[in-house]
C-alpha cells in the first residue's frame, strides 16, 4: 500500500467515510476524543472524487455547503460562507 493510499485511508476513517470494521484503538484529536461535530468542521476531497465540470466554482462550493451546513442555516448565510471561501482561496475575479 502506497503512502497516498495510507493517507487516503486515514482521512476516510477520520471523516467516517469508511466502516471501521477490523480497526482497533481510539481516534484522538489533540489528545481528546473525536467530537461528534468533527465531520462538520472539516472535510476533504479525495484525488479520485468526481467534481462536475459543468458547475462553476461558486456552484460547487454552494453544493458542498448545502450538504455540510446545518438545516437551520439560511441561504444568506450560505452565500456569505461561499463568498468567504472563494475570497480565502483567491478564486474570485481579479477585476
Amino acid at each position: 500500500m502506497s503512502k497516498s493510499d495510507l493517507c487516503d485511508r486515514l482521512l476516510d476513517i477520520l471523516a467516517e467515510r469508511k466502516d471501521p470494521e477490523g480497526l482497533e484503538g481510539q481516534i484522538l484529536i489533540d489528545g481528546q476524543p473525536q467530537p461528534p461535530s468533527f465531520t462538520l468542521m472539516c472535510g476533504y476531497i479525495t484525488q479520485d472524487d468526481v467534481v462536475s465540470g459543468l458547475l462553476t466554482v461558486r456552484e460547487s462550493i454552494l453544493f458542498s455547503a448545502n450538504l455540510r451546513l446545518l438545516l437551520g442555516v439560511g441561504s444568506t448565510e450560505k452565500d456569505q460562507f461561499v463568498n468567504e471561501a472563494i475570497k480565502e482561496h483567491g478564486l474570485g475575479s481579479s477585476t
Side-chain angles (χ1 to χ4, degrees):
M1 190 177 279
S2 71
K3 284 184 181 181
S4 178
D5 290 338
L6 288 172
C7 186
D8 283 347
R9 183 174 165 108
L10 173 63
L11 291 173
D12 283 340
I13 292 166
L14 290 174
E16 297 178 7
R17 287 186 175 190
K18 298 289 183 191
D19 184 359
E21 179 81 24
L23 298 178
E24 296 180 21
Q26 296 178 322
I27 297 176
L28 302 176
I29 310 294
D30 288 334
Q32 302 296 317
Q34 184 175 352
S37 61
F38 182 76
T39 58
L40 295 174
M41 295 185 299
C42 68
Y44 77 102
I45 299 173
T46 60
Q47 291 180 4
D48 60 348
D49 209 5
V50 177
V51 179
S52 174
L54 302 175
L55 298 178
T56 65
V57 170
R58 173 176 295 285
E59 290 168 335
S60 295
I61 297 173
L62 184 58
F63 178 78
S64 178
N66 284 326
L67 293 175
R68 293 179 176 275
L69 297 176
L70 300 175
L71 292 175
V73 177
S75 61
T76 302
E77 287 178 277
K78 288 178 186 174
D79 283 340
Q80 289 173 344
F81 170 81
V82 170
N83 290 335
E84 288 173 22
I86 288 172
K87 184 177 178 181
E88 282 180 21
H89 295 287
L91 300 172
S93 66
S94 58
T95 59

